[in-house]
Amino acid sequence: MPVPWAVTDWEPFYILKGPNTQRGRMDRLKKALEERMVRYQFTDLYADMPRTLELWKQKRNVCSGAALKTPERESWAYFTAFSYQVPHRYMVVTAHSDFIMGLPQEPSLKTLLNQKKWKGVFVRDRSYGEEIDQILKQAEKRTPVFIKNTSEGYMALLQMIAKGRYDYTIEYESVVRAFNEKNYPAKPLLIKGMKESSSAVVFYLACTKNEWGRNVVLKADQVLQSLAGTKEYQSAVESWLDGETLKNSRKILDEFYQKRAKGPWTTVPEKASSGELPSDQ
């Protein structure tokens, strides 16, 4: 069974080129899943989350391995817990030193959006987590800048910030760090942690809400249960995290692995979860 899998330029989650190609966090998890779902043929489809959402709405078969679960997306896709992001900490990202120096120790997005001097930019149909999504929804009436992201991925948005086309955006610290390392010795982007962040969040594997997607999600859920306790899986989830973050997150990561290994963790209705699935034996 063919499984189109959405990938985008978003280091360290997906690494599409360079010496670490296919060694991103989601690349490694996808490979581990693919090796155990031998009757499913995984193929890369270049699509960020806004494009993936469009495809789901068109009932096109496609899966995403780095999705946050939102009520809108649940209308179009089935979900199963795939990975864990620690911390789920967004950073204010800018190329302007005077902008970053004028911010408090932990700036709030609500406050930033009220500053008319600086122009922020955000990706439409990308979820930044429930709290931030609600702030942006309320602010949309005051015309903050939203863009349909390019097919080049989220790194292209950071390029726009670096070139001064917009004053700031928000992104994960690990993504900005990867961007700066890739663009060295160019002037690095500047960051400061946002108030509207959390300690961790589940990243989901999500597939089109139809019979095809149901089958893929249910089979993947079974495989992920058996994988969750392995060094291979845990090493992939924890890849590209620094030692201090790993130390501080050890307890919450272990709790996630234990929960992921215990049983089904999907949005597929229980009455539908007992259907026959293709065997990998």
Side-chain angles (χ1 to χ4, degrees), residues 24-255:
R25 192 173 300 154
M26 298 306 175
D27 295 318
R28 292 176 59 179
L29 290 169
K30 176 167 72 77
K31 181 180 179 182
L33 197 63
E34 182 179 15
E35 288 174 348
R36 291 159 176 83
M37 295 174 61
V38 297
R39 294 188 181 274
Y40 296 77
Q41 296 80 48
F42 289 47
T43 57
D44 285 352
L45 173 68
Y46 293 91
D48 59 11
M49 182 48 65
R51 176 57 179 156
T52 301
L53 183 59
E54 288 178 5
L55 295 173
W56 286 340
K57 291 179 178 181
Q58 296 167 16
K59 295 299 182 181
R60 299 270 295 277
N61 292 345
V62 60
C63 294
S64 169
L68 295 183
K69 183 158 61 70
T70 70
E72 181 191 12
R73 294 176 184 179
E74 285 191 83
S75 298
W76 305 105
Y78 289 123
F79 289 74
T80 184
F82 190 49
S83 183
Y84 208 48
Q85 171 65 22
V86 292
H88 185 228
R89 184 163 178 77
Y90 279 108
M91 314 298 289
V92 180
V93 187
T94 184
H96 299 298
S97 57
D98 53 341
F99 170 79
I100 206 80
M101 289 176 64
L103 295 179
Q105 183 65 31
E106 196 175 55
S108 167
L109 181 59
K110 287 182 179 180
T111 303
L112 289 177
L113 290 170
N114 287 326
Q115 294 184 8
K116 296 181 180 180
K117 178 180 178 182
W118 305 105
K119 184 189 293 185
V121 61
F122 313 92
V123 178
R124 187 177 297 281
D125 291 334
R126 174 181 175 179
S127 176
Y128 295 91
E130 184 176 356
E131 183 176 6
I132 293 176
D133 288 350
Q134 286 300 316
I135 292 172
L136 291 175
K137 183 178 180 181
Q138 291 297 319
E140 191 169 8
K141 301 169 186 176
R142 303 193 303 275
T143 64
V145 178
F146 288 90
I147 64 169
K148 279 284 187 183
N149 203 40
T150 70
S151 60
E152 298 170 348
Y154 298 137
M155 293 305 212
L157 183 58
L158 295 185
Q159 288 282 8
M160 295 178 191
I161 298 297
K163 292 176 181 178
R165 290 180 57 186
Y166 302 97
D167 295 317
Y168 71 92
T169 189
I170 57 178
E171 186 50 274
Y172 293 119
E173 180 179 12
S174 58
V175 176
V176 183
R177 185 169 64 247
F179 177 89
N180 284 339
E181 290 174 356
K182 194 172 184 179
N183 285 272
Y184 181 83
K187 184 179 178 181
L189 292 175
L190 306 172
I191 59 175
K192 184 166 281 192
M194 283 182 51
K195 180 180 180 181
E196 296 86 1
S197 295
S198 60
S199 58
V201 70
V202 175
F203 272 171
Y204 287 85
L205 166 61
C207 304
T208 312
K209 198 169 188 177
N210 57 18
E211 188 67 14
W212 172 88
R214 168 190 171 275
N215 287 336
V216 175
V217 165
L218 287 176
K219 185 60 186 179
D221 185 75
Q222 292 177 1
V223 172
L224 289 164
Q225 287 179 53
S226 63
L227 265 177
T230 67
K231 183 178 180 180
E232 177 186 13
Y233 176 82
Q234 296 176 14
S235 176
V237 171
E238 297 173 14
S239 61
W240 303 101
L241 294 175
D242 63 89
E244 187 67 20
T245 298
L246 280 173
K247 180 181 177 181
N248 294 337
S249 306
R250 185 75 273 150
K251 183 176 184 292
I252 195 170
L253 281 166
D254 288 344
E255 288 173 350

Side-chain angles (χ1 to χ4, degrees), residues 1-32:
M1 180 187 295
V3 179
W5 189 290
V7 300
T8 190
D9 185 13
W10 195 30
E11 298 185 24
F13 300 102
Y14 289 108
I15 303 178
L16 305 185
K17 53 189 174 182
N20 292 312
T21 300
Q22 299 295 312
R23 296 294 297 166
R25 192 173 300 154
M26 298 306 175
D27 295 318
R28 292 176 59 179
L29 290 169
K30 176 167 72 77
K31 181 180 179 182

